[in-house]
RNA sequence: GCGAAAGUGGCGGAAUUGGCAGACGCGCUGGACUUAGGAUCCAGUGGCCCAAAGCCGUGUGGGUUCGAGUCCCACCUUUCGCACCA
């Protein structure tokens, strides 16, 4: 009987589905475990690169099931978003149809991979039952002043015709479409994530089981800096200008001040200048530049002709405007210390401003006024009156005290993080539940009128912005307070709002009374194991941590961190081909000659990149499954590389996984057919089995699937030899343990073999084997003998080895004796159980 | 520029605390079985060497140690993240 995966896989998929093996009653007692893969955007067909994420999650899920855990593994759809709308414009389908079609296809794909989800918990964020609670959440945030409408310079994508969050701008471009983002002054909806900056930063320290990399990325994004706000009097203004600095210790070296061109005092400062018009024109230019253009322009400034007073030196220092000072950060004004800050130094050099050193560096060299020195914590402060002689960190502490005593300012903490812009001028999203009334102003939709349903009958032209704004029935509504004709808000929410609490909804997905049941959620959350791509290291995970905290503050949750363990799988890469214009070429058109790729006569370049449709280097799983089966794809995907690392897909490599499963299969058939039966399996087989159980268990726990599978291959090789030698039915227990441990990776084949062996029930519901340490141990130990650090011999000693036994064996060994004869033994080093090193002279 | 991670055969990758480098797999070579082989099975496979013995070998150069892929210092390369955040 041959291994034919395509014949057995659909059968087992159907049996698992019929038995509803993955469905869980959240109110039933049990040793709970909440597993979660980040819910996907339903973009259509999945490729084997996507598969890695889900296969990995399923393997872990199956393992925990076999460990007896009550494991919940739900799945849903992050179903709102721009691609659906773009597809509607391009192909004339409705975003809803397009989205639901994709969901159906992806569900089928998950099934063919043999992935078990509790579909009774399925949610789709585009359904009113879900987004209703999105709106409810927004209203709670609004009530608490955490959602507000404000005018601010915002990122505008001219391609997608919508605003973007700061987090969605990458290198000055729209994260989605790549268009250059423009700065516009617009009135938009924001969530006050900045109010949680300190808690989001401090909370990172409690996340022991998160990758350091992700925590660091979040920490940098929040950008906490300690420093001081200091007021510099400005004679002409009759008020002071406040600056923020992280280096108050260098205040005696502040020789000028720079304001952002957007600073509110600019007009008053330049009003009387003859060159005023030129300066204003320059300011306009700078303001219209994107952040990227601003930086590329280099450092530029204009002198206001006015001075401020350095409150410590009492000197008059010139006030400049500079394009490198950011209006949104700190106070939009800085004190410049060119001797100790790179940017200030460049600016001072460019405009001939004075430089004064106030720190003597650690190396003791006398400081030079015309040079710049980097931050040096053991440097000593000079020329700075009361703080002279202190080291930098001490001086920072002391000067802040002095600033506060003299009423010049205060110590402050500032964050780089800015409020989260959540309104989008697009159709396919959660309507923001607000109404504009001429009399009452902004009026929230009353909670009992939720959901504000997204109308389906809108035209998709792709022009003139949001189609919702043209839907009269949707837009024109009476004011909930006074009944006067009013206008509904037509902006929709950023889809990251949807995904920042969905993991709570999975517990009680059909509850139409409340967003979730706090009591049950309290038992299941936080998520024990969260799995997803590193691309969400900042956006989604930061927003989810923020929303979780707001719900905590509302008294709905008892925890502040939603995800206990986080795992980020690496992407799968494959070779792709580019033509001379840099466009990707389908591999079907590529012919290889002399080891070089060609399309016709045109020589192509090849590049190994992330698997994606646009790069034409995807491997569709269905073809692979038709040829080798889903189990082969699963085993190969997890075997190819450590799961957190990038992995290169190799079509040739897949065969190795297939052969392995074929060997396991044939071995099973042979064991079932075996008539001979020895008394018991050989010591070698028993020992290997227990060693493998031990290794595979700990490796799965540590997410080292590639070496877990290699350990299973070793056991399979050992058993294969035993079958050749004895073919005995006594190998059954070891073989069954192999099947059990293989089950998370190759669920279909192991179920089939398990039932062929006559077992009742699923492997999935069987109990994970336990290693017997006594049977694992070897009865002899091979000890390496080194002489002067070089391997010279190996001796075998009965286990457990002790020093006396080992040394007796070592000196009885001929090779050792020939090497040490006539030499003096200086030192004997014995590493228990491993080796002996003799140092001779 | 700043920050982080990583450099091991032809390839993907193994190697708890420093202790036999290259597990496992792909590929390759030879063989078996075959009308056939891009199926299957067996053997071999880091380099130098006909082979053995031996020597060399984990990005480069130093260091610590009886012993270094692993620890320390300097450098090179690659990838990722941040990017005027005062």
């Amino acid at each position: 009987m041959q291994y034919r995966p395509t014949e057995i896989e659909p059968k087992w998929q159907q049996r698992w589905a019929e038995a509803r093996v993955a469905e869980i009653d959240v109110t039933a007692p049990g040793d709970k475990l909440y597993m979660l893969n980040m819910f996907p955007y339903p973009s259509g067909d999945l490729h084997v690169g996507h598969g890695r994420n889900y296969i990995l999650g399923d393997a872990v899920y199956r393992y925990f099931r076999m460990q007896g855990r009550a494991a919940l593994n739900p799945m849903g759809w992050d179903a709102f978003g721009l691609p659906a709308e773009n597809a509607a414009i391009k192909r004339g389908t409705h975003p809803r149809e397009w989205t639901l079609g994709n969901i159906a296809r992806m569900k089928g794909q998950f099934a063919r991979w043999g992935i078990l989800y509790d579909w009774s918990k399925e949610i789709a964020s585009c359904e009113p039952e879900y987004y209703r609670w999105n709106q409810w959440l927004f209203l709670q945030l609004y009530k608490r002043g955490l959602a507000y409408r404000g005018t601010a310079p915002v990122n505008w994508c001219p391609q997608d015709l919508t605003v973007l969050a700061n987090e969605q701008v990458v290198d000055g471009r729209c994260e989605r479409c790549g268009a250059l983002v423009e700065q516009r002054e617009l009135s938009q909806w924001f969530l006050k994530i900045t109010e949680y900056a300190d808690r989001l930063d401090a909370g990172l320290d409690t996340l022991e089981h998160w990758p350091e990399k992700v925590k660091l990325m979040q920490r940098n994004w929040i950008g906490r800096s300690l420093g001081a706000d200091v007021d510099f009097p400005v004679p002409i203004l009759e008020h002071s200008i406040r600056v923020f600095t992280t280096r108050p210790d260098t205040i005696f070296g502040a020789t000028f001040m720079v304001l952002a061109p957007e600073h509110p005092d600019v007009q008053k400062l330049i009003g009387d200048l003859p060159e005023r018009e030129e300066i204003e024109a320059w300011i306009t230019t700078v303001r219209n530049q994107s952040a990227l253009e601003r930086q590329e322009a280099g450092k530029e400034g204009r002198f206001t002709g006015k001075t401020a007073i350095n409150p410590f030196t009492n000197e008059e220092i010139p006030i400049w405007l500079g394009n490198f000072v950011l209006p949104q950060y700190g106070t939009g004004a800085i004190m410049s210390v060119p001797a100790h800050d790179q940017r200030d130094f460049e600016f001072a050099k460019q405009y001939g401003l004075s430089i004064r050193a106030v720190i003597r560096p650690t190396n003791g060299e006398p400081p030079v006024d015309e040079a710049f020195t980097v931050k040096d914590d053991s440097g000593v402060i000079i020329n700075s009156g009361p703080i002279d002689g202190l080291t930098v960190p001490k001086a920072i502490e002391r000067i802040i005290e002095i600033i506060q005593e003299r009423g010049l300012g205060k110590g402050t903490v500032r964050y780089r993080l800015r409020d989260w812009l959540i309104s989008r001028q697009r159709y396919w999203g959660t309507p923001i539940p607000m109404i504009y009334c001429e009399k009452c102003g902004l009026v929230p939709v009353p909670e009992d009128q939720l959901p504000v349903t997204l109308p389906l009958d809108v035209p998709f032209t792709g022009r003139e912005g949001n189609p919702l704004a043209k839907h009269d029935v949707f837009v024109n509504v009476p004011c909930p307070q006074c009944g006067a004709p009013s206008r509904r808000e037509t902006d929709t929410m950023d889809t990251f709002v949807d995904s920042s609490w969905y993991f709570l909804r999975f517990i009680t997905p059909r509850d139409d009374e409340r967003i979730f049941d706090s009591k049950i959620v309290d038992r299941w959350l936080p998520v024990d194991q969260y799995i997803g791509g590193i691309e969400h290291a900042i956006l989604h995970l930061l927003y989810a941590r923020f929303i979780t905290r707001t719900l905590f503050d509302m008294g709905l949750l008892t925890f502040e961190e939603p995800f206990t363990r986080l795992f980020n799988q690496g992407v799968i890469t494959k070779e792709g081909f580019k033509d001379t214009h840099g466009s990707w070429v389908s591999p079907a058109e590529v012919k290889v000659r002399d080891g070089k790729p060609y399309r016709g006569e045109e020589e192509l370049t090849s590049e190994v990149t992330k698997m994606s449709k646009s790069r034409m280097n995807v491997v569709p799983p269905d073809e692979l499954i038709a040829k080798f089966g889903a189990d082969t794809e699963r085993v190969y995907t997890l075997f190819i590389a450590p799961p957190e690392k990038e992995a290169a897909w190799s079509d040739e490599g897949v065969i190795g996984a297939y052969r392995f499963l074929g060997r396991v299969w044939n071995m099973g058939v042979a064991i079932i057919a075996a008539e001979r039966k020895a008394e018991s399996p050989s010591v070698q087989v028993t020992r290997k089995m227990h060693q493998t159980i031990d290794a595979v268990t700990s490796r799965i726990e540590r997410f080292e699937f590639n070496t877990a599978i290699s350990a299973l291959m070793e056991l399979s090789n050992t058993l294969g030899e035993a079958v050749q030698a004895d073919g005995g039915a006594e190998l059954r227990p070891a073989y069954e343990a192999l099947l059990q441990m293989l089950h998370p990776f190759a669920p279909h084949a192991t179920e089939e073999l398990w039932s062929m062996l006559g077992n009742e029930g699923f492997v999935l519901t069987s109990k994970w084997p336990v290693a017997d340490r006594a049977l694992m141990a070897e009865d002899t130990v091979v000890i390496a003998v080194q002489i002067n650090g070089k391997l010279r011999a190996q001796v075998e000693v009965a286990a457990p080895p002790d020093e006396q036994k080992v040394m007796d064996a070592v000196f009885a060994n001929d090779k050792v004796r020939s090497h040490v004869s006539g030499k003096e033994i200086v030192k004997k080093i014995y590493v228990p159980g491993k080796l002996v090193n003799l140092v001779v002279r």
Side-chain angles (χ1 to χ4, degrees):
Chain A
M1 214 170 39
Q2 285 237 306
Y3 175 45
R4 295 194 206 286
T6 46
E7 285 169 21
I8 59 169
E9 291 183 353
K11 177 175 80 185
W12 288 102
Q13 286 158 11
Q14 200 184 337
R15 289 196 188 171
W16 292 321
E18 278 165 4
R20 302 182 170 210
V21 286
E23 276 186 34
I24 205 158
D25 175 1
V26 290
T27 59
D31 184 10
K32 81 94 186 175
L33 181 106
Y34 189 178
M35 286 270 320
L36 189 61
N37 273 91
M38 290 180 186
F39 74 160
Y41 180 76
S43 57
D45 294 321
L46 296 165
H47 56 67
V48 296
H50 298 118
R52 192 182 199 187
N53 181 21
Y54 305 106
I55 289 167
L56 188 159
D58 188 62
V60 174
Y61 166 74
R62 286 176 186 267
Y63 167 75
F64 280 121
R65 282 291 303 272
M66 294 176 77
Q67 284 288 1
R69 305 291 297 271
L72 170 64
N73 194 29
M75 183 43 71
W77 313 96
D78 189 10
F80 271 139
L82 220 39
E85 210 168 330
N86 291 340
I89 294 163
K90 219 167 122 188
R91 305 177 211 180
T93 52
H94 194 277
R96 184 180 161 81
E97 251 173 73
W98 185 85
T99 305
L100 296 183
N102 286 346
I103 288 175
R105 289 229 294 284
M106 288 168 71
K107 253 178 119 161
Q109 186 57 65
F110 286 147
R112 288 192 292 281
W113 271 323
I115 291 169
L116 299 178
Y117 290 124
D118 181 350
W119 289 112
S120 72
K121 309 289 189 294
E122 181 180 7
I123 53 182
S125 61
C126 65
E127 299 295 350
E129 303 87 76
Y130 184 84
Y131 69 70
R132 166 187 185 171
W133 299 108
N134 236 11
Q135 293 169 338
W136 179 87
L137 174 66
F138 178 90
L139 293 176
Q140 309 314 306
L141 295 173
Y142 181 75
K143 261 196 254 173
R144 277 152 218 269
L146 292 169
Y148 67 94
R149 194 159 174 93
T151 305
V154 297
N155 308 300
W156 175 262
C157 174
Q159 176 79 37
D160 293 339
L161 302 176
T162 185
V163 296
L164 302 170
N166 288 319
E167 290 83 349
Q168 289 165 323
V169 181
V170 178
D171 294 334
R173 289 173 182 279
C174 171
E175 181 194 45
R176 275 231 104 84
C177 70
L180 261 182
V181 169
E182 297 169 5
Q183 293 295 304
R184 288 198 184 179
E185 191 83 11
L186 291 172
S187 175
Q188 297 288 328
W189 285 100
F190 291 89
L191 296 187
K192 224 180 225 172
I193 192 171
T194 52
E195 200 166 301
Y196 286 76
D198 52 347
R199 285 164 68 186
L200 290 168
D201 184 74
L204 292 172
D205 291 331
T206 67
L207 297 172
E208 285 172 55
H209 305 292
W210 275 40
E212 287 304 319
K213 182 181 171 151
V214 173
K215 288 191 274 183
L216 188 69
M217 282 167 71
Q218 293 222 352
R219 195 160 271 137
N220 291 339
W221 190 263
I222 296 166
R224 182 177 196 269
S225 328
L226 266 164
D229 281 357
V230 190
D231 293 328
F232 280 55
V234 178
I236 185 181
L237 286 182
E238 296 159 1
H239 67 255
S240 301
I241 291 181
R242 171 162 285 207
V243 303
F244 172 67
T245 177
T246 56
R247 296 296 306 279
D249 55 311
T250 62
I251 196 161
F252 282 84
T255 51
F256 57 100
M257 175 185 276
V258 188
L259 310 184
E262 291 89 343
H263 195 279
D265 289 326
V266 168
Q267 280 309 315
K268 280 175 259 173
L269 291 170
I270 64 166
D272 61 333
L273 293 180
E275 62 271 33
R276 172 186 168 170
E277 280 191 21
E278 191 278 328
I279 298 182
E280 280 176 350
W282 173 76
I283 291 173
T284 312
T285 313
V286 174
R287 284 180 89 128
N288 291 338
Q289 281 172 331
S290 67
L292 196 70
E293 290 168 325
R294 247 194 216 207
Q295 197 171 340
E296 279 168 358
K299 289 199 176 41
E300 270 182 25
R302 292 293 185 277
F303 182 38
T304 62
K306 309 299 181 303
T307 56
I309 296 176
N310 181 326
F312 280 86
T313 62
N314 289 319
E315 285 170 329
E316 290 199 9
I317 59 171
I319 304 177
W320 282 70
L321 309 180
N323 67 345
F324 69 102
V325 178
L326 303 172
Q328 321 89 311
Y329 185 75
T331 61
I334 60 165
M335 64 172 212
S336 276
V337 185
H340 305 294
D341 182 281
Q342 180 78 53
R343 296 151 302 185
D344 296 348
F345 179 72
E346 281 171 31
F347 196 77
K349 278 286 178 198
Q350 193 170 333
Y351 293 103
L353 302 167
S354 59
I355 301 172
R356 181 190 303 139
V358 290
I359 300 172
R360 185 191 299 127
T362 313
N363 63 21
E365 280 171 25
V368 184
D369 278 352
E370 292 308 308
F372 156 75
T373 49
V374 293
K375 183 169 181 191
D376 175 357
D377 276 352
S378 42
V380 174
I381 304 290
I382 53 168
N383 300 330
S384 298
I387 56 170
D388 272 352
L390 298 178
T391 56
V392 167
K394 290 241 162 66
I396 291 175
E397 262 175 53
R398 180 69 194 125
I399 196 82
I400 289 173
E401 286 170 17
I402 299 172
I403 287 165
Q404 290 178 169
E405 280 161 19
R406 297 197 194 161
L408 298 170
K410 58 181 196 313
T412 20
V413 182
R414 298 260 179 197
Y415 297 92
R416 200 191 85 120
L417 187 68
R418 292 203 262 296
D419 278 341
W420 175 14
L421 197 168
I422 58 151
S423 41
R424 297 290 181 273
Q425 290 71 53
R426 300 296 306 214
Y427 164 75
W428 192 233
T430 303
I432 294 175
M434 296 296 292
I435 290 166
Y436 297 95
C437 169
E438 290 207 1
K439 274 193 280 180
C440 314
L442 264 176
V443 182
V445 173
E447 282 178 30
D448 59 11
Q449 290 177 23
L450 297 181
V452 175
T453 312
L454 189 65
L456 296 177
D457 53 335
V458 299
F460 298 99
T461 60
R463 293 186 300 273
E464 296 157 56
N466 191 346
L468 265 188
K470 282 169 252 159
H471 194 285
D472 292 340
V473 180
F474 179 77
V475 173
N476 299 311
V477 286
C479 167
Q481 268 172 30
C482 70
S486 303
R487 289 183 63 80
R488 199 184 278 290
E489 171 65 83
T490 59
D491 282 359
T492 53
M493 290 184 211
D494 180 4
T495 58
F496 278 105
V497 178
D498 315 1
S499 57
S500 58
W501 63 277
Y502 76 103
F503 42 91
L504 301 165
R505 185 69 183 168
F506 271 138
I507 307 301
T508 51
R510 312 280 168 254
D511 195 331
D512 56 9
E513 300 286 312
R514 63 215 135 169
I515 185 166
F516 51 78
D517 185 325
S518 293
K519 238 178 86 191
I520 308 177
V521 160
D522 202 38
R523 174 160 119 75
W524 282 89
L525 276 277
V527 172
D528 294 277
Q529 179 66 63
Y530 201 31
I531 299 171
I534 188 81
E535 68 272 18
H536 293 113
I538 297 172
L539 293 156
H540 162 57
L541 292 170
L542 188 64
Y543 295 149
R545 296 178 62 228
F546 160 58
I547 293 297
T548 301
R549 279 172 172 76
T550 64
L551 292 165
F552 173 86
D553 289 351
M554 292 174 207
L556 295 173
L557 299 176
T558 57
F559 52 89
E560 294 197 44
E561 288 295 346
F563 313 117
T564 305
R565 274 172 199 273
L566 174 67
F567 182 81
N568 303 114
Q569 83 282 355
V571 298
I572 289 198
T573 61
K574 194 172 193 299
E575 187 176 48
F577 301 96
K578 268 185 180 172
D579 65 17
T580 43
H581 310 290
S583 306
W584 295 98
V585 175
S586 163
E589 298 181 56
V590 178
K591 294 267 177 303
V592 177
R593 293 202 304 269
D594 309 326
K596 285 179 187 163
Y598 287 88
R599 177 175 59 187
E601 286 309 303
E602 184 185 9
E603 189 172 340
L604 305 171
T605 52
S606 76
E607 201 180 313
V608 176
T609 58
K610 182 178 174 179
M611 201 175 270
S612 76
K613 222 184 268 176
S614 62
R615 297 182 180 94
M616 305 216 219
N617 62 347
V618 296
V619 175
D622 285 348
E623 288 173 25
L624 193 71
I625 289 172
K627 202 166 165 196
F628 297 109
D631 284 341
T632 292
E633 182 188 342
R634 292 174 61 116
V635 169
Y636 175 68
T637 297
L638 295 178
F639 178 66
I640 179 173
E644 70 281 4
K645 275 190 66 175
E646 197 174 87
W649 186 269
S650 140
D651 291 325
E652 298 84 54
V654 174
I655 195 79
Y658 184 66
R659 279 182 196 145
F660 166 55
L661 293 176
R663 278 195 293 266
V664 171
W665 181 276
N666 293 337
M667 193 189 303
V669 172
I671 288 174
I672 290 166
E675 287 168 15
R676 287 183 295 148
K677 188 176 188 314
E679 300 272 310
S680 57
S682 69
V683 183
Q684 284 82 359
V685 165
T686 306
R687 184 181 299 140
K688 189 70 182 175
M689 177 182 89
H690 286 283
Q691 285 172 343
T692 307
I693 294 170
D694 187 57
V696 172
T697 306
S698 63
R699 287 171 187 180
I700 292 179
E701 299 266 357
R702 293 197 299 262
F703 276 44
E704 294 167 2
F705 308 112
N706 55 330
T707 53
I709 291 170
S710 73
L712 291 171
M713 287 173 169
E714 285 185 48
L715 176 60
S716 155
N717 291 344
T718 302
L719 283 178
E721 283 161 25
V723 168
Q724 290 282 313
D726 318 325
E730 78 282 359
L731 296 169
R732 257 179 98 122
Y735 181 72
E736 288 192 352
L738 171 65
L739 289 184
Q740 287 181 290
M741 290 187 280
L742 189 53
H743 178 75
F745 308 113
H748 311 86
T750 50
E751 289 288 9
E752 181 72 21
L753 287 160
W754 187 255
S755 85
M756 278 160 59
L757 285 162
N759 287 298
E760 295 289 320
F762 295 113
V763 189
L764 175 70
T765 50
S766 72
K767 207 174 160 325
W768 188 261
V770 178
D772 184 334
R773 296 204 161 258
L775 295 174
M776 260 168 69
E778 308 276 348
D779 33 43
T780 60
V781 177
V782 176
I783 306 240
V785 183
Q786 296 182 344
I787 294 167
N788 283 347
K790 291 211 155 114
L791 180 70
R792 295 296 180 187
Q794 298 191 344
V795 297
E796 212 170 300
V797 180
D802 61 46
E803 180 141 19
Q804 188 58 48
K805 259 196 280 186
V806 171
M807 287 302 168
D808 289 349
V810 165
F811 289 105
N813 184 288
D814 289 345
K815 272 194 168 170
V816 173
R817 281 216 300 253
S818 74
H819 269 102
V820 297
S821 70
K823 291 176 183 156
E824 181 195 352
I825 294 173
V826 180
K827 210 170 174 184
K828 294 181 204 168
I829 296 153
Y830 174 60
V831 178
K834 282 188 175 163
L835 64 75
V836 167
N837 190 11
L838 306 175
V839 184
V840 299
R841 196 164 51 202

